[in-house]
C-alpha cells in the first residue's frame, strides 16, 4: 500500500465478503449488530450483484445497494465496493453466446456458474465497463466507500479461452510483441522444427489440443498473452473507477497461493493501489502454515510493503475433495500469521454462511449454527486481537535474503516435454523456503532482473529454468560485488524464448557457478542417491542429477552411488568478491537445511530472533517500534526471550514471554 491512493482506515481492517442480497432485509439489521460485536470495520460488497444491479441490459436498479451502502455507513463500517463483473447475468449470455469461453478441446462452456466468459470478448468488455461505470458514478462520493474491489479473482475459472475471438486477440498481442515481424516470431518459436513455420499471422492459433507435444514457445507466449488479456480488463475497469473517484484506491483480489499460477503478478502489481490476496489452505498440505508464510512474503514483496488479506476461511471450504475444518486456535494462528508477514487488513470469505447456492457448505464468520458456535466466538476474539494490534499497521519486514521468483520461469519449467515431468516450480521454491522459515530468517521475493539486489546479502535461486542474459548478468554482478548466490538445478537453461542457452548447462549461470554440465540425469520417482562430502552423514538426494565438470568451482558434495558416483552434486565457486553455490540435485530436507544454514552463515545472515523448534518468528519494523510475532505451530508452546509489551494481552515482558500452546504472542519492542 505504498502509492498515493492509500486505504485510509484506522487500525487493521477486519471483515469479509458481505452478500446481503442473498438474505431478506430483516436479516441485515442483525448483520450490522453482529458485525459491530465482532469488531468488523470493512466489508466487500456487490461482488456478485450484477444481475440485481442491471436486471436487463442498460436498466439499472440501485435501490438495494443504496440501502446496503447507507446501512454500512450508519454503522461505521467501510465498504470495499466491487465491480460485479466476475458473474455476468443470464441476459448477457442470451444476447452474447459468443462471449462464452471455449476450452482447449474446442468445447464451448455454458452459463449457470460464474466467470464463464471469454477474456477477449468485446461484448463482455463493453458490458463490464458499462456496469463498472454505472457503479462508479452512483457511489463515487458515498461516505461508506473506502476502496474499489475490481472484479473478483481474475482468472480463477477462466484463465484461458481458446475461441476464435481469443485467437484474433492473441495475434494482435503477438504482432505487438514481435513488432509486426513474422520472421521474428518464427525464429522465437523455432518453427523450422516439425514444419511449424507460419507464412501469415492469420495461420496462428491458440495452442489448442494437438496430437503430439505442442511448440513450447507458442505455449509460453500464450500464457503471457492470457495473463495480459485479463490484466487489460482489470486496468480498463480501474480507469473507469479512477475517472469517477480519483482519490479512491483500487484493488483486485489476487490468488498468491500454491494452486494458482495463471497470472504474472509482477506485471499486475504496479497497476493496483492496494495489493490484496485470497489465501486458502489445502486439506492435503500437512504444513499449510508454510504456504501462508511463503505467500505472505511474496505478497509483501509484490506490494513493496504492507498488503491486504481479502479472503481466507474461518473453517472448511467447499471446493476440495474433502474439506477439512480448522482445529482449535488454527483460524487465529492463520490470520495472525498473515499479519506477521505484512497484512494490514484481514478478511474472510464470507460474512454469513449461505443457505443456498454452490457455496452453501463453505464456512463463514457467522456460521449456519449462528452465534452459539466456536467459529463465532473465535471471530469475535480475532476482532479484539486485531484491535490490540492496530499500531502494527504500516510496519514492514526487513529481509537480508532474497528468493528469486518468476512466473515466466514457472510456466516454462512446467511445459510439456521437459527432461522430467516431476518438477513443480512451487514445490522447488518451497523446498528452499522451508528451512529458512524454520530458522526464522526473514525473506523477500524478487524478480530475476531486480535492479537493487545489492540490498541483500544472500540471493537464492531455487529454480530458474528460464532466464534472460540480462537477468543472469545482474545476478552474476551481485555475486562479483561480494554477494552470496545459491542456484538450484535445471536453472539458467533457456532464454526468454525457451531456447537452450548454448555451450553446456547451466547455460546463463555457467560462468558465475564455475561449472559445466554436459548431460542431464533426472531421477525416477522414488529413486534416491547417496551424497558424501561436506554434508551430514547419510545424506541423500532425489529428483534430479547431472554430470558436472568443475570449471573453477570446487566440489562440496559428490554422489555416493548411481551413474554419476564420485562426481560433484553440490559446488561452491568464488566469483569476484562473492561466492556462488550450485545445488545440482535435490538434497533430502535435512541436508538441504544444513547446506542452506552454511550458505547463510557464510553470508552472515542471522535468524530474526532465537526461538525453539515449532515457533514461527517474524519481526515487523515500524518507525517507532518493532513487533516480534511468535506463533506456536508445535502445539507445545514455549518460553522465548523478549523485552517490551505483549500486545494481545497487554502485559509487559521483561526477559521472557510465554507463547501458549497453539497460541500467538506479539511483542512491541523498543527500537
Ligand atoms: C474464492 C472467491 C470467493 C469464494 C471463495 C471460496 O476465493 O473469491 O467468491 O468462492 O473462493 O473459497
Amino acid at each position: 500500500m505504498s502509492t498515493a491512493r492509500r486505504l485510509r482506515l484506522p487500525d487493521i481492517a477486519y471483515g469479509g465478503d458481505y452478500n446481503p442480497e442473498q438474505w431478506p432485509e430483516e436479516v441485515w439489521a442483525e448483520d450490522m449488530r453482529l458485525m459491530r460485536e465482532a469488531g468488523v470495520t470493512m466489508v466487500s460488497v456487490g461482488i456478485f450483484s450484477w444481475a440485481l444491479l442491471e436486471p436487463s441490459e442498460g436498466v439499472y436498479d440501485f435501490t438495494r445497494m443504496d440501502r446496503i451502502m447507507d446501512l454500512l455507513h450508519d454503522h461505521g463500517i467501510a465498504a470495499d465496493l466491487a465491480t460485479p463483473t466476475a458473474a455476468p447475468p443470464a441476459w448477457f449470455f442470451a444476447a452474447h453466446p459468443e462471449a462464452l469461453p471455449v476450452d482447449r478441446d474446442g468445447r464451448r462452456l455454458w452459463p449457470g456458474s460464474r466467470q464463464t466468459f471469454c477474456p477477449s470478448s468485446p461484448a463482455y468488455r463493453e458490458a463490464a465497463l458499462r456496469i463498472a461505470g454505472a457503479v462508479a458514478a452512483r457511489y463515487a462520493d458515498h461516505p461508506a466507500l473506502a476502496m474499489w474491489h475490481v472484479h473478483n479473482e481474475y482468472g480463477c475459472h477462466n484463465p484461458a479461452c481458446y475461441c476464435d475471438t481469443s485467437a484474433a486477440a492473441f495475434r494482435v498481442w503477438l504482432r505487438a510483441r514481435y513488432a509486426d515481424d513474422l520472421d521474428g516470431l518464427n525464429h522465437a518459436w523455432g518453427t523450422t522444427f516439425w514444419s511449424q513455420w507460419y507464412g501469415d499471422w492469420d495461420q496462428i492459433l491458440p495452442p489448442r489440443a494437438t496430437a503430439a507435444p505442442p511448440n513450447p514457445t507458442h505455449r509460453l507466449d500464450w500464457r503471457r498473452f492470457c495473463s495480459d488479456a485479463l490484466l487489460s480488463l482489470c486496468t480498463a475497469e480501474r480507469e473507469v473507477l479512477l475517472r469517477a473517484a480519483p482519490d479512491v484506491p483500487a484493488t483486485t483480489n489476487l490468488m498468491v497461493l500454491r494452486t494458482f499460477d495463471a497470472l504474472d503478478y509482477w506485471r499486475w502489481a504496479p497497476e493496483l493501489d492496494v495489493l490484496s490476496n485470497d489465501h486458502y489452505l489445502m486439506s492435503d498440505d500437512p504444513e499449510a502454515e508454510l504456504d501462508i508464510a511463503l505467500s505472505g512474503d511474496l505478497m509483501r514483496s509484490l506490494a513493496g510493503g504492507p498488503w491486504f488479506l481479502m479472503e481466507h476461511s474461518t473453517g472448511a471450504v467447499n471446493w476440495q475433495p474433502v474439506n477439512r475444518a480448522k482445529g482449535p486456535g488454527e483460524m487465529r494462528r492463520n490470520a495472525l500469521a498473515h499479519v506477521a508477514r505484512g497484512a494490514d487488513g484481514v478478511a474472510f470469505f464470507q460474512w454469513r454462511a449461505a443457505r443456498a447456492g454452490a457455496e452453501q457448505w463453505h464456512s463463514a464468520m457467522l456460521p449456519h449454527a449462528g452465534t452459539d458456535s466456536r467459529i463465532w466466538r473465535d471471530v469475535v476474539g480475532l476482532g479484539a486481537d486485531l484491535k490490540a494490534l492496530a499500531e502494527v499497521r504500516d510496519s514492514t519486514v526487513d529481509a537480508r535474503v532474497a528468493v528469486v521468483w518468476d512466473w515466466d520461469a514457472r510456466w516454462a519449467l512446467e511445459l510439456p516435454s521437459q527432461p522430467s515431468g516431476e518438477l513443480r516450480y512451487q514445490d522447488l521454491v518451497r523446498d528452499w523456503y522451508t528451512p529458512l522459515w524454520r530458522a526464522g530468517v526473514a525473506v523477500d521475493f524478487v524478480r530475476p532482473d531486480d535492479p537493487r539486489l545489492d540490498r541483500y546479502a544472500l540471493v537464492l535461486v531455487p529454480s530458474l529454468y528460464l532466464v534472460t542474459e540480462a537477468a543472469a548478468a545482474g545476478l552474476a554482478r551481485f555475486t562479483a560485488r561480494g554477494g552470496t548466490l545459491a542456484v538450484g538445478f535445471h536453472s539458467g537453461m533457456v532464454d526468454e524464448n525457451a531456447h537452450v542457452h548454448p555451450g553446456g548447462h547451466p547455460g546463463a549461470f555457467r560462468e558465475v557457478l564455475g561449472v559445466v554440465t554436459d548431460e542431464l540425469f533426472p531421477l525416477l520417482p522414488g529413486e534416491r542417491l547417496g551424497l558424501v562430502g561436506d554434508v551430514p552423514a547419510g545424506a541423500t538426494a532425489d529428483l534430479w542429477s547431472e554430470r558436472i565438470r568443475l570449471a573453477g568451482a570446487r566440489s562440496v558434495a559428490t554422489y555416493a552411488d548411481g551413474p554419476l558416483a564420485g562426481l560433484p552434486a553440490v559446488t561452491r565457486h568464488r566469483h569476484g568478491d562473492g561466492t556462488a553455490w550450485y545445488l545440482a540435485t535435490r538434497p533430502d530436507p535435512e541436508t538441504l537445511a544444513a547446506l542452506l544454514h552454511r550458505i547463510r552463515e557464510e553470508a552472515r545472515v542471522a535468524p530474526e530472533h532465537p526461538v525453539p523448534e515449532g515457533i514461527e518468528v517474524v519481526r515487523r519494523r515500524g518507525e517507532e517500534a518493532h513487533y516480534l510475532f511468535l506463533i506456536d505451530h508445535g502445539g507445545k508452546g514455549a518460553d522465548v526471550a523478549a523485552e517490551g509489551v505483549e500486545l494481545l494481552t497487554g502485559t509487559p515482558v521483561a526477559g521472557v514471554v510465554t507463547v501458549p500452546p497453539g497460541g500467538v504472542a506479539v511483542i512491541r519492542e523498543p527500537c
Side-chain angles (χ1 to χ4, degrees):
M1 299 184 202
S2 51
T3 66
R5 272 179 301 277
R6 288 166 58 99
L7 178 60
R8 291 177 209 285
L9 290 178
D11 308 342
I12 293 185
Y14 186 42
D17 280 20
Y18 182 38
N19 303 308
E21 63 275 10
Q22 295 175 10
W23 297 88
E25 285 207 34
E26 306 84 82
V27 176
W28 300 2
E30 187 191 47
D31 286 335
M32 294 302 114
R33 181 172 63 75
L34 292 177
M35 280 183 193
R36 291 190 63 106
E37 188 178 321
V40 165
T41 58
M42 179 160 101
V43 291
S44 299
V45 279
I47 298 178
F48 299 110
S49 292
W50 194 344
L52 292 179
L53 295 174
E54 192 181 1
S56 57
E57 186 165 354
V59 175
Y60 301 105
D61 178 359
F62 290 111
T63 45
R64 204 182 315 213
M65 187 55 86
D66 286 353
R67 284 204 291 283
I68 293 166
M69 291 292 280
D70 293 349
L71 202 61
L72 290 173
H73 180 60
D74 293 347
H75 289 83
I77 296 166
D80 170 42
L81 178 59
T83 58
T85 53
W91 60 254
F92 172 77
F93 291 114
H96 296 288
E98 81 288 355
L100 286 161
V102 171
D103 70 11
R104 179 177 287 142
D105 297 325
R107 203 169 44 127
R108 200 176 277 282
L109 306 184
W110 293 89
S113 182
R114 65 173 175 188
Q115 227 175 43
T116 316
F117 63 85
C118 160
S120 301
S121 157
Y124 170 77
R125 177 179 282 254
E126 195 190 315
L129 297 188
R130 197 176 56 231
I131 184 66
V135 169
R138 183 83 180 181
Y139 299 108
D141 299 320
H142 195 286
L145 178 67
M147 180 158 72
W148 298 116
H149 182 294
V150 182
H151 195 84
N152 191 67
E153 291 190 340
Y154 275 102
C156 179
H157 308 286
N158 61 349
C161 167
Y162 295 79
C163 75
D164 290 343
T165 306
S166 297
F170 183 37
R171 285 178 211 120
V172 171
W173 184 92
L174 289 168
R175 290 182 91 125
R177 178 172 176 88
Y178 294 101
D180 258 328
D181 175 11
L182 192 55
D183 286 346
L185 177 140
N186 274 308
H187 172 74
W189 288 15
T191 55
T192 47
F193 178 81
W194 279 357
S195 183
Q196 291 170 353
W197 182 82
Y198 294 100
D200 194 303
W201 291 97
D202 286 343
Q203 294 161 357
I204 301 173
L205 297 170
R208 294 173 178 154
T210 46
N215 179 308
T217 319
H218 181 188
R219 270 274 184 103
L220 184 58
D221 271 348
W222 172 251
R223 299 215 65 172
R224 292 167 172 147
F225 157 74
C226 290
S227 175
D228 280 1
L230 286 164
L231 177 56
S232 107
L233 284 174
C234 177
T235 53
E237 278 198 28
R238 186 173 168 274
E239 274 161 30
V240 167
L241 299 169
L242 265 187
R243 272 202 298 277
D247 298 327
V248 177
T251 191
T252 187
N253 41 350
L254 310 181
M255 287 179 286
V256 173
L257 77 174
R258 190 164 187 203
T259 47
F260 183 79
D261 74 343
L263 306 179
D264 180 348
Y265 288 139
W266 288 125
R267 288 171 69 80
W268 284 62
E271 304 294 341
L272 300 160
D273 301 310
V274 173
L275 259 75
S276 56
N277 196 34
D278 293 353
H279 189 275
Y280 290 95
L281 309 185
M282 298 306 293
S283 297
D284 62 0
D285 186 349
E287 286 190 294
E289 56 271 20
L290 269 158
D291 198 57
I292 293 180
L294 193 158
S295 70
D297 283 340
L298 184 48
M299 278 304 295
R300 195 189 59 253
S301 306
L302 286 162
W307 52 281
F308 196 103
L309 179 66
M310 188 59 80
E311 288 182 28
H312 69 319
S313 71
T314 57
V317 299
N318 67 303
W319 42 264
Q320 297 180 23
V322 175
N323 297 292
R324 199 180 67 84
K326 293 192 178 179
E330 189 177 358
M331 184 267 270
R332 179 175 186 254
R333 282 197 300 282
N334 292 168
L336 297 182
H338 287 289
V339 174
R341 305 274 156 185
D344 272 3
V346 170
F348 292 98
F349 178 83
Q350 54 192 333
W351 162 250
R352 187 184 272 274
R355 290 189 60 203
E359 294 184 325
Q360 62 188 156
W361 294 113
H362 196 292
S363 59
M365 298 171 84
L366 183 58
H368 293 134
T371 53
D372 188 10
S373 57
R374 186 186 78 183
I375 284 187
W376 175 254
R377 286 185 282 278
D378 287 352
V379 160
V380 173
L382 181 60
D385 286 337
L386 295 175
K387 195 115 202 117
L389 296 182
E391 64 182 81
V392 166
R393 207 174 60 131
D394 289 335
S395 59
T396 192
V397 172
D398 190 13
R400 299 192 61 231
V401 179
V403 176
V404 171
W405 177 282
D406 187 43
W407 275 274
D408 253 7
R410 180 178 188 167
W411 296 334
L413 179 75
E414 295 179 17
L415 285 166
S417 312
Q418 279 281 340
S420 167
E422 296 291 308
L423 308 185
R424 297 283 167 279
Y425 183 82
Q426 175 91 19
D427 293 347
L428 297 176
V429 175
R430 179 160 147 170
D431 285 346
W432 286 43
Y433 181 85
T434 301
L436 298 162
W437 180 85
R438 290 201 202 293
V441 175
V443 162
D444 282 345
F445 286 91
V446 293
R447 19 187 336 149
D449 59 354
D450 187 300
R452 297 193 306 122
L453 288 177
D454 289 350
R455 65 197 194 278
Y456 300 103
L458 171 62
V459 174
L460 302 176
V461 184
S463 177
L464 201 64
Y465 169 68
L466 177 155
V467 66
T468 62
E469 294 280 1
L475 288 158
R477 221 166 22 246
F478 158 82
T479 313
R481 288 183 188 154
T484 303
L485 177 74
V487 177
F489 60 85
H490 207 35
S491 295
M493 305 299 265
V494 299
D495 65 15
E496 61 271 35
N497 295 322
H499 292 201
V500 175
H501 286 291
H505 315 304
F509 292 132
R510 231 170 26 229
E511 210 173 300
V512 66
L513 297 176
V515 298
V516 183
T517 291
D518 74 343
E519 195 172 358
L520 308 176
F521 286 74
L523 303 177
L524 294 172
E527 192 177 357
R528 194 163 272 287
L529 303 176
L531 293 179
V532 288
D534 217 348
V535 281
T540 61
D542 69 352
L543 203 60
W544 190 266
S545 63
E546 52 189 59
R547 185 168 50 222
I548 288 181
R549 177 164 56 78
L550 298 175
R554 66 175 185 75
S555 174
V556 174
T558 55
Y559 298 103
D561 43 36
L564 304 178
L567 295 181
V570 178
T571 62
R572 182 178 180 280
H573 182 225
R574 283 298 291 172
H575 180 78
D577 293 337
T579 309
W581 291 74
Y582 187 43
L583 276 61
T585 184
R586 180 170 74 171
D588 63 74
E590 292 70 35
T591 305
L592 180 59
L595 284 165
L596 287 174
H597 178 83
R598 175 167 164 202
I599 293 169
R600 177 166 65 72
E601 296 228 304
E602 229 176 68
R604 296 202 169 81
V605 176
E608 273 300 309
H609 196 79
V611 283
E613 208 183 308
I615 301 285
E616 175 177 358
V617 59
V618 194
R619 182 177 277 114
R620 284 184 67 162
R621 290 162 198 263
E623 272 171 23
E624 281 161 23
H626 293 167
Y627 303 96
L628 187 69
F629 283 73
L630 302 164
I631 306 171
D632 177 46
H633 296 288
K636 297 198 194 93
D639 286 344
V640 177
E643 293 289 341
V645 175
E646 201 289 309
L647 294 176
L648 296 167
T649 55
T651 27
V653 178
V656 173
V657 66
T658 299
V659 187
V664 181
V666 183
I667 295 98
R668 181 208 298 132
E669 309 171 310
C671 64

